[in-house]
Structures are given as C-alpha cells and as structure tokens.
Amino acid sequence: MADPVAEPSHSVLLVAEDGVSMPEGFAGALGDSVDGVAETTTPAGLGRALDGRELPDAVVLVDDPQVPDAARETLDVATVPVVAYGDREPTGAYVDGYVERGSAPERLAAEIERARDGETRRQLRAARRRVTRLHEAAADIAAADGVEELFELTIDVAGRVLSFDHCAVGVEEDGELVARHRSTDWLPTRVPIEGTLAGRAYRRGETVYVADVEAEELSNSEATGSSITVPFGGDAVFQAVSRRPHAFDETDRELAELLAMHVGQSYRRLRAQADLTRRERVMTELHEAAPRLVDAERDEELFELTVEIAERVLSFDRSCVYAADPDRFRRCAASDDDLPAELPRGFGAMAATYDEGRSILVDDVIDHPVARSHDGESRSLLSVPFAGDAVFQAVKDEPGGFDEGDLEFAELLVSYATVTRERIRSEAALREARETTERLHVAATDLAAAESEDALLERAIEAARDVLSFDKSTMSLRRDDMLVPVVDSDGSLPNGSRPMELDEGIAGKTYQTGESILIEDVADRDDAAPVRQEYRSAVSVPVGDLGVFQAVATEPGAFDRDDLNNAELLMAHVAVSLVRIRAEADLRAERDRLSALFENVPDAALSFELVDGEPVITAINSAFEETFGFGEEVIGEHVDDYIVPEEAESEAAEFNDRLANGESIRQEVRRETADGLRDFLMYVVPLELDAENLGGYAIYSDITERRERERTLQRQNERLDEFASVVSHDLRNPLSIAEGYLDLARQTGEDEHFDTVADAIDRMRELIDDLLRLAREGRVVGDTASVDLREAARDAWATVDTDAATLDADEVVVDADPERLRELLENLFRNSIEHADDAPAVRVVSTPGGFAVEDDGPGVPPEKRERVFEVGVSTAEDGTGFGLAIVRRIAEAHGWTVTLTESEAGGARFEFGEVE
C-alpha cells in the first residue's frame, strides 16, 4: 500500500485574465516557496473559490484583473492576504501588498508572508492612515459636551475610521455592563460582569483580545466570532465584535486601545465636570437647607432634619444619628427604620468615630479592620462625629458606595447641625431663667420653624396659652369674604363660633382697621357680641391682613395693655410665618429646590460674595427689587452702598467682619428702601459656618409695622408721663390761690373772697379739661384764632399770685389757641415772680417777628439759658422745673421759636419769633 500524501499547509490562488501569460514553472516555484500549492484561475474562478467553505491562504492578482464586485467585498472584509503582481501598484483598498511583475517567485512569497503578518508597505501605509484619521477624530472626541455625545462619537469613529462594523460602549451599573451606545441592535443591551469577555476586561483593567470566541468558556456558550475589548474610565469598556474568527489583527487591537485612550480622557473630563456640577448643586442646596437646621428647637427635631437633608440633598438613602449613652449607642433618627434601635457601645466604626472624634470612610466593611455591618448587608459606610456625644452615619449595601466628596458633604451638613445643637443646649440652659418676653421669643422661633399652616396655628394657640396665659383664645382667618374660625386653645373649633362678615363685630372692626382692641368689660360696648354670655373681657389683635386673634375671659379687666402688646408681638410672628408658609405652599409645585429659598421667598433676598471684605451682590430676587427699588443695576455692586443708611455704616462693617469669619447673623436693622427707612429682621447665612467665607445669602423680613407700634406705644407712655407732670404743675397755682382766699374768708367772714376761690376752681377745671383732652387727642394745640395779646396777658396775670408785681402789655394781635397762649403767659409770669427778689416789673412787648415777655429781675446766666427749658430744671429753690418746658412745648406746637436773652433792665427776656 502506498504512503498517504500529506496535504499542503498553504494554498495560493493566482488570478489572471484569459490570455495573460505566466513564466513557465512560476506557479510551481511559488508553491514551493510558500510551502504549499499555487494554482492559477480567472476572476470568475476567484468568485467561485471565495464562495466555498474553505478560503485560500492567499490571493495573487496578476496584472490588475477585473475582480467581480462580490469578490472585492469578500476580499475587503476577509482575513485572506491579497498581493498584486503587476507593472504598477493597484488602488484597491482590499489589496494588502504589491510586487513588481518579473520578480522572482521567492520575492512574491515573501510579500505574501508580510501581508499575512500585516507588515507590507501598503498595509503599514493603511495603518498609518487609520491612525491619522483616528487622531483627527480625537479632536471631536475631546470636544464632546456630554457623555452620551461622547459614546455616540466613539461608535461613529470605530466604524468610520477603524472599520469596526459591530461595536458598543458599556458602563458598569449594579454588577452589570449596560450598553450606553451600540452600532448594531443584535449586540446585547446588558451583559453580566462574570463569565463575559467584556466583564473580563473590566475586572482585569486591561485589553482582552480573543481571535476565536468559540474556544473560550463563557456564560453565553453560543457566542462565536472574535472580539477586542478595552476598558477605560474606571467603569466603562469599548468592545469591537466580528461574527468571524480571526477578524482582527494586532493593528486593530492597537487602534482600539488608542481610541479607548482618547475616549477615556474625554470621559474622565466629562465625569469630572459632572462631579463639579453635582458638587456645586449639593453645596448650594446644603447652604439653602442650613436655615432649617438653625430653626430647630430640640435635639430630636435637629436629628430628624439632619437625616432628612442627608436623604433629600446628599442622596443618602440610608442615614442615621446615634447618641452615645454610657453602655450603648441609641438611635435618635434614621431614614431607614430597619436600622437597629440600639447598638453596643463598642460597635465598629461608630465607636471609633465617637472615641477618636474623627470621620471614617469605609469602602468595604469586609476588608476593614474596625468597621462592621449594621445588618449583615451593608458593605460601605461613612461615619462623622456629631456635637461631641453623637455620631452621624450613612450606609450602602454595595462596596465603594461613598467617596471623599460624600464624606466632605456629610461633614459640612453635620457641622451645620452641630452649631445648631450647641445653640439649642445654650438656650435650654438659659430658658428656665427667662421671663415672658424671652419665652415669647422662643415661641416665635418655634412658629418660624412650622412647616404647615395647621402646625403654625396650633403652635400659636399653644404659645398664647403657655406663654401669655390666655386660657381661652381663638384665631379666625379670612376665607374669601368671611372670617372663619380655624382653631381655639382646645385644639378644636370654638363652641358657638361661626363664620363672620369681614366688618362684623369686634373681630370685623379689628380686621378692617388693622388695629388691636382691648375690652375691659363687654357690657360697656354695644358692638361686642361674645359667643357666650359669661365672657366679660377680651383682646382682639389683627394677624397681619390675614385674620384676627381673640382671647376672652369670664371676669372684667382680665387683660391689660401688656397682654395686648404681647399678643400683638406673637401675632406679628404668626402673620410673618403664615405668609411664609402660604407663599411656600403656593410656590412649592412650581420651583425647584434652588429657587425655593431664593427667587420666590416672600421676603427680599440676595446672594453675595465677599470681595475685599465687603459683600458684592451676585443675584437678587423680585421681592428685593420691589422692596428696595433696585434691579439688575446692583448686580456686581456693594450691597452696603445701596441699602445701608449712613448712621448704620459702622454696624454694617461689623457684620461684614463676622461674615468673613463664617458667622451667621440674625439681627434687627434699619435699611433704606424704595419707601424710605424701614425696619427688617435680617438673616445672613454664609456658605460655610465657622470658616473664612467668600459669599452667602441675606434675607430681609420687614418688621416696620411691629416696630412702629412699639415706638408709638413708647411715645404714648412718655406723653402720658409728661401730661401727669403738666397737670401737677399747672394746677398748683390756682390751687394755692383757692386755699389762700378760703383761709382769708374763714378769718374775715367776707363772702367776696369765695368768688376768688370759685374763679380758681373754675381755672383748675378748665386746666383739667384741656389737659385731659390733650391726653386723649395727643395734641398740644387745638383750634387757633386771632387773640389780643394784651387781653390774654391781663387774663393770665389775674390767675397768678403777683403780690406787688406790675404788668405792662403792648397791643398785639397773634394767631393762637387762646387757652394754650394763656397757659404760656401764666407760666412766664409765674417764672418772673418766683425768681425775682423784689416785686418785678413785667412787660409784654411787640417785636418784628412776634412778641417778647421780659422782666427786671436777676435774669439767667448765658450758660444756663438753654437748660432752663428742660423738664425738671429750675433756678429757684422751690421751682418744679416744668413751667419753661411747658412754655417751649406750647410755642413749638404753634410753630413759634422761643429764645431766652437778657432784657434792657438786666432781667430775663423770652422772645417768640415766626409768630403770625
């Protein structure tokens, strides 16, 4: 039996048009050179050969034959090396190498071998062109504005430049690689990391090139073909796939890695930009949320707010606050109720954070020397010390759930809360020693923290009961055209209460006028109609322009002016908070979290940055523009230059220093507005507490009406004190006359002295009536008329105990209140007589600007002439110091000037100018 013939290891097809001759023995020599067989065929024969199940190992095109289009396409994508053998180099892209015709078969065999290895000059030039086009495309990749645009460009460049027909970009999400962009729908949208080529590249962090997928052990056992997978950016892979084995060569691999390098650089840039944008957003929202922490009044409320902000702003789905007790950690607040209510005192990272006072970031509790899982499922956590005796933690089930940025934000949030907790502790220590005013302030702060209208009203009634001791109180708010009772001190609708017209009863009057009413006895008021007959006294206070608050009692006189003032102060806070709550409720559905605390707040607000220690406006809201009358023109300007009045510049400078040091400010201030000077409660919050700062936010709550009521009340009290002094002073002289003549009548028995007593009593009655009218009306001067000054002087002289003094008066007519003018002259005459050693001569004379009253007494030294007009100042031993003060006040009320000089006789001369 003959030995079997070994099959050749390589086969080469020589393709030539009919009639093209080849040197004799050329095909055989070529076959020997390639260690195989070389056969000659026509272009049509090439097409048939390429349609067969087994492709030749190489194709040689002799003298540029007309290859059918189908064969060209097959050669263009096939792995069969193609070499041209002719007089000139071909232009076809599918041709890998070229040998000049006439060269020896060994030269052609060497070119075939180089083509197989991708090392022919044509192949190298083609590779260089692909690299060049790839670098040109890199500019577009680097300029991508977003990740989706970047991935779309990646697939486009892979197909257009690198000729990768099937490719995709995948990003790791929850243990899978998710295709963010694909060139072909048959590529899967999700593949597991374990058991896949893409997952293998992701895990190793290096390129995975597989020439024949069928030879690999994969989760998808039906996968065929070849692939190149290149990881980039830490969490993404680029993969090129072919359904044919050995579809890629080393050049394809290098180009895929070069493409992935460019994409990875842009991907990292875009993620860094996204991280920066997220950081700025989170930082802004944290600073906006900080005032809510500042408003917290109890530890429990502060802990809940901290956890809520961590979830809403920092996206920490599972966060908690644990307080340290001697033998355990006790859960105070948590966004996940499944977290343990208690933990051992030595529990993992929580104990380390508490004991060492340092923050801890744990990527995986399994590999960490200290950290432990709360529930056996959480794998990563961050832990931050909280106010010395508590710990804030956030946990996630997967490893690597937090980064340094998350820890920084958590520390910032906890720093805000820690400052507030220290403030809560301080207030708690002082609260027991405070009186009603301070407790009312605490109640007002509690009102400001209310987040709903019902909560606000409930807290307002509680404050009225617990702070103001109002046992029975009611609040009615305007609903359309009615005042509707909403709550009483029992937490329910008042018994017998009903909706009322806006102008009905005491409540309606209070609402319409905006003025508070104090009723000492209901029986004395025809317009009072209490819901129960047993109510005898009441206070009625407007709640801004939103409604009315009323408190009642069963006994008369149960309320005084202080009760009314305290109720007004409480309701002012209620009104401000109610306006805020309603405004927030109306705007909540329309605004995002950034504009919620700025553009649409009901109060004037601005954001600023500190430049050289002074606040420069970066943005204003519409309320600021409406309140202060400035718009876009103030952006970039110093806020103090526009709204701080001159007298408050030093105070504003002090505030700027405090802001630069990272302090928040809550202060009552006066500011220049479009309507003039107004009072505000100013909140200024820096971007970072307890640190040098570059900016922050300021909010101005208008409290002008409340402060004006306070100032009005103070002026009224001062005026009443002065009225009392005036009464005691001016009644003294007619009372002395009445007493003197009454004694004289008793001694002599002469009845005519009783007439003088009666005149003095009538004078006292007139003074009392006038001064009471002055007290009620708040006016010094009533209606004026033309008055004969000589007659007025004589009438006033008759009411003064003048003894041997004399009066001389010119004939002058002035426009004055007759009673007040007489009172002025009485005080001047009395002053002359009381300060003269002997009987003075008093003269009332006409002057170019009005009139003067002078005497020949001792006069007043120049250094004392201005002081004698002050209340309580007198140069006489038995003087009261009120007479000349009354003179000045009456003169100024008439619009006159009064000046004390020296008369020609050396006595006192009072000159009155600007007299009509």
Side-chain angles (χ1 to χ4, degrees), residues 834-888:
E834 288 178 349
H835 292 78
D837 295 333
D838 299 320
V842 180
R843 298 183 62 230
V844 179
V845 298
S846 173
T847 65
F851 64 92
V853 178
E854 60 182 17
D855 60 43
D856 58 358
V860 179
E863 66 274 10
K864 296 183 179 180
R865 289 174 183 171
E866 183 61 28
R867 290 193 66 242
V868 299
F869 289 104
E870 299 177 6
V871 175
V873 177
S874 176
T875 58
E877 294 183 359
D878 58 347
T880 65
F882 287 104
L884 294 183
I886 295 173
V887 168
R888 167 170 279 183

Side-chain angles (χ1 to χ4, degrees), residues 259-528:
L259 172 62
M261 181 194 72
H262 289 303
V263 174
Q265 291 174 346
S266 186
Y267 184 47
R268 285 190 291 272
R269 172 183 63 81
L270 291 172
R271 286 201 304 177
Q273 290 175 348
D275 290 342
L276 179 60
T277 300
R278 174 183 176 272
R279 178 181 176 83
E280 292 175 348
R281 175 186 61 78
V282 172
M283 187 72 72
T284 299
E285 293 179 1
L286 265 183
H287 287 307
E288 291 174 346
R292 293 185 59 204
L293 292 174
V294 174
D295 287 338
E297 291 299 324
R298 305 183 313 279
D299 284 350
E300 295 79 3
E301 182 182 1
L302 177 64
F303 294 150
E304 293 291 347
L305 278 172
T306 302
V307 170
E308 184 267 330
I309 292 172
E311 181 177 13
R312 177 173 56 82
V313 177
L314 305 185
S315 300
F316 293 171
D317 295 334
R318 302 176 67 200
S319 61
C320 53
V321 176
Y322 281 81
D325 291 338
D327 59 346
R328 60 174 180 161
F329 285 106
R330 173 175 41 84
R331 192 183 75 190
C332 300
S335 59
D336 184 354
D337 292 337
D338 291 336
L339 291 172
E342 295 181 1
L343 290 168
R345 181 61 180 77
F347 180 73
M350 186 174 295
T353 297
Y354 176 76
D355 294 337
E356 300 172 20
R358 65 182 178 91
S359 300
I360 297 176
L361 175 62
V362 179
D363 286 333
D364 195 337
V365 298
I366 295 178
D367 301 328
H368 198 274
V370 175
R372 294 163 56 190
S373 175
H374 292 72
D375 51 10
E377 297 180 0
S378 57
R379 294 285 298 276
S380 56
L381 64 87
L382 54 82
S383 185
V384 180
F386 193 154
D389 64 350
V391 175
F392 169 84
Q393 286 195 333
V395 299
K396 287 189 177 181
D397 292 344
E398 65 274 8
F402 302 100
D403 57 22
E404 292 292 341
D406 293 321
L407 181 61
E408 181 183 354
F409 289 138
E411 289 176 332
L412 180 60
L413 170 61
V414 172
S415 70
Y416 289 154
T418 297
V419 170
T420 300
R421 193 168 187 217
E422 291 172 355
R423 188 261 302 164
I424 291 172
R425 289 172 175 173
S426 177
E427 289 181 353
L430 296 173
R431 192 172 294 116
E432 294 180 359
R434 290 175 180 167
E435 299 295 334
T436 301
T437 301
E438 293 177 339
R439 289 189 285 114
L440 187 58
H441 174 72
V442 173
T445 304
D446 192 37
L447 293 176
E451 298 181 356
S452 68
E453 185 166 326
D454 291 341
L456 172 66
L457 300 177
E458 181 179 352
R459 293 181 187 185
I461 294 299
E462 288 177 356
R465 181 188 65 230
D466 300 335
V467 179
L468 306 184
S469 300
F470 293 169
D471 295 330
K472 189 65 179 176
S473 56
T474 302
M475 192 177 302
S476 299
L477 298 181
R478 178 173 180 171
R479 308 289 192 203
D480 297 326
D481 294 330
M482 302 293 288
L483 286 174
V484 180
V486 292
V487 69
D488 70 357
S489 53
D490 296 328
S492 59
L493 290 179
N495 186 21
S497 63
R498 59 177 178 79
M500 301 175 64
E501 299 288 342
L502 294 181
D503 58 355
E504 183 178 351
I506 297 296
K509 184 174 183 179
T510 301
Y511 180 81
Q512 292 290 338
T513 63
E515 297 179 357
S516 301
I517 299 175
L518 172 64
I519 301 177
E520 295 186 357
D521 195 338
V522 172
D524 297 334
R525 298 197 56 123
D526 295 333
D527 54 352

Side-chain angles (χ1 to χ4, degrees), residues 780-862:
V780 176
V781 173
D783 296 333
T784 61
S786 296
V787 180
D788 187 330
L789 188 60
R790 174 183 291 177
E791 293 299 323
R794 289 175 178 172
D795 292 341
W797 188 265
T799 63
V800 178
D801 188 1
T802 57
D803 292 334
T806 61
L807 172 69
D808 184 24
D810 290 349
E811 225 178 283
V812 182
V813 176
V814 297
D815 186 60
D817 180 333
E819 291 302 320
R820 299 285 77 78
L821 177 62
R822 177 177 173 181
E823 186 178 348
L824 178 146
L825 293 172
E826 287 176 352
N827 280 287
L828 290 174
F829 296 160
R830 188 180 301 114
N831 181 75
S832 296
I833 293 167
E834 288 178 349
H835 292 78
D837 295 333
D838 299 320
V842 180
R843 298 183 62 230
V844 179
V845 298
S846 173
T847 65
F851 64 92
V853 178
E854 60 182 17
D855 60 43
D856 58 358
V860 179

Side-chain angles (χ1 to χ4, degrees), residues 102-173:
S103 300
E106 292 80 11
R107 170 73 179 86
L108 182 57
E111 185 75 357
I112 291 172
E113 184 65 25
R114 284 193 293 271
R116 181 180 292 110
D117 295 335
E119 296 177 351
T120 69
R121 285 178 294 177
R122 285 180 59 84
Q123 288 174 318
L124 292 176
R125 286 200 302 271
R128 284 195 294 272
R129 285 195 298 272
R130 294 171 74 192
V131 171
T132 300
R133 292 198 301 271
L134 180 57
H135 283 303
E136 292 172 351
D140 293 333
I141 291 174
D145 291 331
V147 171
E148 292 303 320
E149 179 185 350
L150 172 65
F151 291 164
E152 184 177 356
L153 275 172
T154 302
I155 300 303
D156 175 68
V157 170
R160 178 170 49 84
V161 176
L162 305 185
S163 300
F164 293 165
D165 293 332
H166 311 303
C167 47
V169 173
V171 177
E172 189 277 332
E173 292 182 11

Side-chain angles (χ1 to χ4, degrees), residues 893-907:
H894 280 87
W896 305 340
T897 60
V898 56
T899 306
L900 174 56
T901 63
E902 184 177 337
S903 68
E904 293 182 358

